[in-house]
Amino acid sequence: MSEEVKRSYSSPLREQGAAYTRLLVRDAGHRLFARDGFVATSIKKIAYEAGVSERTVYAHYKNKVEIFQDALNVAIAGDEEPVAMRDRPEFEEVLATPSARDLIAEMVRRNGLILERAGALIMAGIESSGADADMRRISDEGEHAMRANCLALATALVATGEVRDGMNADAVADVLTTMLSPHVHQLLGWSAERYRTWLVHTLTASLLRP
């Protein structure tokens, strides 16, 4: 086999190996951040959990903040695509739901899936934000994104004409930002089904006309 052919085979294999190693490190970081918190999790612990050397970890990430950010982005998105919800087609589908009750049910379902994947990481970021400037930035960005998404959802709800009198988009967004938050999800600690059922009922009763 010529050297040129060997390179044509080895390059994709190296890329696949690098992607798999990065996945191992990211997943190990996710588990440790969620279980032990950001401050208590070190690169050494992540490397041990992933089954690789610390040098290998640093070959893929500059520091543990980068690992946390990558793990959080993938957990929120549910895949490797860009994380911003309002840039993703499925979010536009939710906003286009014509019935307010169906819109609430769908937003609760999708929010529940995100919190099941990323809720522990989000809370780990919030809890460490007072001790680390980068984590404060990540936490603040998450809060701003959450508010923006809730305002978009609130605007869509108001547009259905089914929202209670006297409630504008900002007022509805206040309720959504509070009730859909990871704090409430963690505080309740309920099963996914119980959480969704309760949240749909509560939001429907609070925001929509009887």
Side-chain angles (χ1 to χ4, degrees):
M1 184 181 292
S2 70
E3 288 302 316
E4 182 178 352
V5 173
K6 286 180 181 179
R7 286 195 297 271
S8 71
Y9 277 99
S10 62
S11 181
L13 288 174
R14 282 198 301 270
E15 290 176 5
Q16 291 173 14
Y20 181 65
T21 301
R22 186 179 176 89
L23 182 148
L24 288 176
V25 173
R26 183 180 67 223
D27 286 356
H30 184 145
R31 290 191 296 274
L32 293 176
F33 292 135
R35 188 189 72 194
D36 302 333
F38 178 81
V39 175
T41 298
S42 65
I43 292 292
K44 182 177 182 179
K45 289 180 179 179
I46 293 172
Y48 181 82
E49 179 77 8
V52 300
S53 68
E54 291 182 60
R55 182 176 181 178
T56 297
V57 174
Y58 281 115
H60 294 275
Y61 296 96
K62 289 192 299 185
N63 49 48
K64 67 177 182 176
V65 173
E66 277 198 358
I67 301 174
F68 183 92
Q69 182 76 80
D70 192 23
L72 181 62
N73 287 346
V74 171
I76 290 175
D79 54 40
E80 302 281 350
E81 295 300 316
V83 69
M85 284 183 64
R86 290 188 298 158
D87 293 336
R88 297 167 69 90
E90 56 266 33
F91 189 70
E92 297 302 324
E93 293 173 8
V94 177
L95 295 179
T97 305
S99 162
R101 282 167 174 77
D102 290 343
L103 198 160
I104 287 175
E106 187 60 14
M107 80 167 76
V108 166
R109 185 186 73 81
R110 294 182 188 238
N111 185 71
L113 292 174
I114 291 172
L115 291 180
E116 287 168 30
R117 295 191 304 261
L121 274 184
I122 294 171
M123 291 307 300
I126 293 170
E127 289 163 2
S128 65
S129 61
D132 188 283
D134 286 317
M135 297 305 287
R136 165 58 65 183
R137 172 185 55 79
I138 292 171
S139 180
D140 287 346
E141 289 173 354
E143 289 181 7
H144 292 322
M146 176 70 172
R147 177 65 188 188
N149 288 334
C150 285
L151 185 56
L153 290 164
T155 301
L157 275 174
V158 171
T160 66
E162 300 177 59
V163 170
R164 288 179 179 274
D165 294 337
M167 296 192 75
N168 59 18
D170 281 327
V172 173
D174 288 341
V175 175
L176 295 179
T177 302
T178 301
M179 299 304 293
L180 297 175
S181 74
H183 303 77
V184 171
H185 180 263
Q186 183 186 60
L187 181 65
L188 292 173
W190 290 344
S191 68
E193 183 60 30
R194 184 182 180 188
Y195 171 75
R196 286 195 297 267
T197 300
W198 168 79
L199 194 50
V200 168
H201 174 78
T202 302
L203 289 176
T204 300
S206 301
L207 299 176
L208 305 186
R209 297 194 190 101

